[in-house]
């Protein structure tokens, strides 16, 4: 389990990161808010411990930005602002818990345990690529808010490519994602699946391109508006 600690105070940051690491957690410590949304969007974070008073950002704004991306990772606000109004502002921004400084590490650790258990049970977050939105929990796919009608295999292929963010996904990886690991599916079946997906996207999301790279795999790309046929 990986915790993203966002804290500019060196003493508190070292105290918290070392304490959580001693409990077997992986801790990524950031001293500013610059990388927070990108790290969370990458999908490898199970909990964010977020200070409100950062040198380059307001923690409330960062929390709200995470929620605006439809990312449900638990957020624990860790701050010197401890009034009732401050706590209510934190919850309104999307925080799951709020701990005022100074604090006992044992209390922090107990709250972290609760939030990590919650993270294990949460549904997967929607995946986005440009105007594409894919919901793994419901298998709903939309482009710019318009529904894309996909069969389960087409959705699985598009989801794997969208998660790669435009990078190449190897053929074997795609076959395992779509048909499972114990299968005798051939490359030809994957090509057929990709062709069917292209036809669906050609109607509902013509800017999306499913690119085949010889000897490698597939990637998701975008057509420029000038390259689209006139409507």
């Amino acid at each position: 389990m990986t915790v993203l600690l966002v804290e500019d105070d060196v003493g508190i940051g070292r105290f918290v990161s070392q304490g959580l690491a001693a409990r077997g957690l992986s801790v990524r410590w950031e001293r500013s808010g610059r990388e927070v949304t990108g790290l969370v969007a990458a999908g490898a974070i199970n909990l964010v411990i977020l200070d409100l008073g950062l040198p380059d950002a307001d923690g409330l704004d960062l929390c709200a930005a995470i929620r605006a991306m439809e990312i449900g990772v638990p957020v624990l606000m860790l701050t010197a602002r401890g009034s009732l109004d401050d706590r209510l502002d934190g919850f309104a921004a999307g925080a799951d818990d709020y701990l005022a400084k100074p604090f006992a590490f044992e209390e922090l650790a107990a709250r972290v345990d609760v939030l990590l258990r919650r993270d294990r049970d949460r549904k997967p977050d929607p995946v986005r690529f440009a105007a594409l939105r894919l919901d793994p929990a419901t298998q709903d796919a939309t482009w710019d808010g318009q529904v894309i009608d996909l069969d389960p295999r087409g959705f699985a292929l598009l989801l794997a490519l969208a998660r790669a963010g435009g990078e190449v996904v190897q053929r074997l990886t795609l076959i395992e994602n779509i048909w499972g690991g114990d299968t005798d599916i051939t490359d030809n079946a994957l090509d057929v699946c990709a062709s069917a997906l292209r036809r669906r996207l050609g109607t509902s999301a013509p800017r999306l391109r499913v690119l085949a790279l010889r000897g490698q795999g597939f990637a998701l790309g975008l057509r420029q508006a000038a390259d689209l046929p006139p409507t």
Side-chain angles (χ1 to χ4, degrees):
M1 305 293 278
T2 300
V3 175
L4 174 59
L5 171 63
V6 189
E7 171 61 67
D8 64 317
D9 185 292
V10 175
I12 294 175
R14 183 178 297 116
F15 167 66
V16 172
S17 60
Q18 290 179 351
L20 294 179
R23 294 172 62 86
L25 297 174
S26 174
V27 181
R28 170 72 181 260
W29 177 18
E30 292 290 323
R31 295 164 177 78
S32 70
R34 183 175 59 254
E35 304 291 337
V36 170
T37 55
L39 289 169
V40 173
I45 302 299
N46 303 105
L47 169 65
V48 180
I49 300 178
L50 182 60
D51 183 25
L52 294 192
L54 298 168
D56 63 340
D58 186 288
L60 291 174
D61 292 338
L62 286 174
C63 185
I66 291 170
R67 296 304 180 229
M69 295 188 294
E70 298 186 88
I71 297 176
V73 61
V75 176
L76 168 60
M77 288 188 172
L78 192 63
T79 176
R81 308 176 199 173
S83 72
L84 175 59
D85 286 343
D86 290 324
R87 293 196 299 273
L88 292 176
D89 287 343
F91 292 128
D96 298 272
D97 203 352
Y98 197 105
L99 184 59
K101 303 173 184 178
F103 57 88
F105 179 78
E106 290 76 11
E107 182 179 4
L108 172 68
R111 293 176 185 238
V112 166
D113 287 345
V114 169
L115 293 176
L116 287 176
R117 286 198 298 271
R118 185 180 303 176
D119 181 74
R120 284 191 289 267
D121 296 333
R122 71 183 173 99
K123 295 179 180 179
D125 298 316
V127 176
R128 295 182 180 274
F129 181 87
L132 176 68
R133 179 186 182 275
L134 302 171
D135 189 336
T138 62
Q139 293 205 343
D140 291 332
T142 60
W143 173 265
D144 201 19
Q146 302 301 310
V147 173
I148 305 173
D149 184 21
L150 297 174
D151 59 54
R153 288 175 180 168
F155 182 89
L157 174 56
L158 187 56
L159 179 63
L161 296 177
R163 279 177 168 156
E167 299 295 322
V168 178
V169 184
Q170 300 298 316
R171 283 177 168 269
L172 180 58
T173 300
L174 292 172
I175 289 173
E176 291 176 348
N177 284 344
I178 298 169
W179 287 277
D182 298 325
T183 181
D184 294 326
I185 294 297
T186 65
D187 278 359
N188 183 62
L190 178 59
D191 291 331
V192 170
C193 184
S195 295
L197 176 59
R198 289 190 187 100
R199 289 194 295 272
R200 296 291 182 97
L201 296 179
T203 301
S204 304
R207 283 201 64 202
L208 278 177
R209 303 177 65 194
V210 177
L211 305 171
L213 292 95
R214 186 181 298 276
Q216 299 182 57
F218 290 86
L220 207 55
L222 292 173
R223 290 185 177 89
Q224 298 300 318
D227 297 330
L228 297 177
T231 56

